[in-house]
């Protein structure tokens, strides 16, 4: 089975560990305590959509470490909104590949946002 076809499971967002190199991944719109207050308009719209429609794209988490690879903003919104579960796909990747996936996802998303 390919990694991206793995099962989606529901996980407490507080159990997910932000990637330790998250700050290197590009623009950041989350903090340790939740979502930043002064969001750009497009991020505020994304937050509103998440609150109204829920999370449609599962967060990607490194299997065995619980380190978040993609979905830091979605996790922050979920925690701030006191959600008990978020959809997660665990992938069996090493640390270097997890970092590469995070960078690629951030670059794609930042290009779409800007």
């Amino acid at each position: 089975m390919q990694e991206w076809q793995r099962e989606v499971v529901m996980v407490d967002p507080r159990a997910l560990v932000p990637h330790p190199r998250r700050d290197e991944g590009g623009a950041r719109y989350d903090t340790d305590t939740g979502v930043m207050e002064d969001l750009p308009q497009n991020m505020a719209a994304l937050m509103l959509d998440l609150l109204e429609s829920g999370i449609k794209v599962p967060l990607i988490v490194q299997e065995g470490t619980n380190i978040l690879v993609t979905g830091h903003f979605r996790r922050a919104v979920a925690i701030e909104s006191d959600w008990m579960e978020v959809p997660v796909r665990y992938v069996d990747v090493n640390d270097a590949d997890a970092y590469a996936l995070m960078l690629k996802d951030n670059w794609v998303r930042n290009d779409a946002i800007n």
Side-chain angles (χ1 to χ4, degrees):
M1 180 183 305
Q2 291 182 1
E3 292 303 325
W4 299 109
Q5 295 175 338
R6 294 189 106 170
E7 178 179 324
V8 174
V9 295
M10 299 304 286
V11 176
D12 183 339
R14 292 157 197 81
L16 304 174
V17 179
H19 196 284
R21 296 178 69 185
R22 171 71 178 104
D23 290 334
E24 300 169 27
R28 184 173 176 175
Y29 301 108
D30 63 295
T31 67
D32 293 336
T33 58
V35 179
M36 294 171 49
E37 292 180 14
D38 297 322
L39 290 174
Q41 184 177 359
N42 48 5
M43 293 304 291
L46 175 58
M47 185 168 121
L48 182 59
D49 180 62
L50 288 170
L51 294 173
E52 290 177 352
S53 303
I55 296 173
K56 299 174 190 116
V57 177
L59 288 68
I60 304 299
V61 176
Q62 186 181 22
E63 194 170 60
T65 65
N66 240 26
I67 291 177
L68 196 55
V69 178
T70 71
H72 289 84
F73 183 75
R74 288 170 280 163
R75 174 187 175 268
V77 170
I79 290 172
E80 189 169 281
S81 302
D82 292 323
W83 293 355
M84 301 308 291
E85 297 179 319
V86 295
V88 166
R89 242 179 244 257
Y90 284 95
V91 293
D92 186 13
V93 294
N94 62 34
D95 292 343
D97 288 343
Y99 179 65
L101 284 171
M102 180 188 69
L103 288 179
K104 181 179 178 184
D105 183 75
N106 284 339
W107 289 332
V108 168
R109 289 181 190 274
N110 286 341
D111 283 347
I113 290 169
N114 294 323

